[in-house]
Amino acid sequence: MNSLEQSLQHAIPLINQRLEELLSPSDEPLLTTIHEAMLYSVRAGGKRLRPLLCLLTAGALRQDESRVLDIACAIEMIHTYSLIHDDLPALDNDDLRRGKPTNHRVYGEAMAILAGDALLNRAFEVLCQLPLAPDLVIRVIAEIASSSGTAGMIGGQVVDIQSEGKSIDMPTMRYIHENKTGRIIRSCLVSSAIACQATAEQIELFDRYGYNIGLAFQIADDILDIEGDEATMGKPVGSDLQNRKSTWPALVGMNGARKAMQEMIDEANRALDPLGDSPAVTSLRDLARFIIERKN
């Protein structure tokens, strides 16, 4: 068992338990369905890589993971909301997510939209209640809000939608990848480093690591959409081609995509060098390697 596997074995039950606590259903019987819909997608599982990045950042800074646990869970709520909305007919129109029917297939489109909205709002409610100094809370909220809005995830999604069926250049492709997927990944590290009162230099290192693994993660997704196995991935493959999306392999070829992905992972690992050696830093290195080796 490598360091990343050990970290996941420890972190996933911790994250799942805290998510259940933070999303405990309302006592109001009229709200039963919306809470069921929210928890349905949160409980669907997934790799929990984003919240793990938060915990590993704290570990790399020799801080207790409890300092960033609620940040980790809030970001996972935001990530889950984005998946619920991505799967809707108006966007990717997917029937499966993590091997299970997508939220709108179970609860209907209207309830799925509201479940996503509710998860986003609950995430910021949790962030507002962080037991940190007020200035740190404000900085954490500002970072995560920016990363999930038009300056980040939503901005990338908008350009991705507008680029469907078109030939786009590499700067546009990088913009989509940097923002649609990468910006939230960077935010996991940066917001957690802020909460742990890291120096500006340390925050920059985590940001550089996050920037590179975020891009590599999206390239890996593009490759898996071509070469992946639907049973292993738990969702349909070939949706990028079906939706006429430009991808990294389409732009530079499969070999070019793999080469770029490896270069980004190498750069991510170089960013960790000044942080020294610790179990958390080793796990971050293992995670970078996992991104380009994963099958789902």
Side-chain angles (χ1 to χ4, degrees), residues 127 130 132-144 194:
L127 292 171
L130 291 173
L132 302 173
D135 63 314
L136 295 179
V137 173
I138 291 170
R139 289 176 64 195
V140 166
I141 291 174
E143 166 62 29
I144 295 172
I194 290 169

Side-chain angles (χ1 to χ4, degrees), residues 83 86 106 109 132 170 175 199 208 219 263 266 295:
L83 299 181
D86 275 352
V106 177
E109 290 181 38
L132 302 173
M170 181 55 74
Y175 181 90
T199 65
R208 183 150 55 94
I219 296 174
E263 289 172 351
D266 292 342
K295 302 300 180 185

Side-chain angles (χ1 to χ4, degrees), residues 64-95:
D64 193 276
E65 61 193 11
S66 62
R67 192 173 183 90
V68 301
L69 181 56
D70 281 4
I71 295 173
C73 290
I75 291 176
E76 187 68 2
M77 290 179 207
I78 293 171
H79 174 58
T80 303
Y81 120 74
S82 74
L83 299 181
I84 294 172
H85 283 191
D86 275 352
D87 290 335
L88 289 165
L91 291 172
D92 291 344
N93 193 25
D94 281 328
D95 294 332

Side-chain angles (χ1 to χ4, degrees), residues 73-75 77-78 118-128:
C73 290
I75 291 176
M77 290 179 207
I78 293 171
L119 283 167
L120 176 61
N121 281 278
R122 180 59 179 145
F124 282 101
E125 185 178 11
V126 168
L127 292 171
C128 288

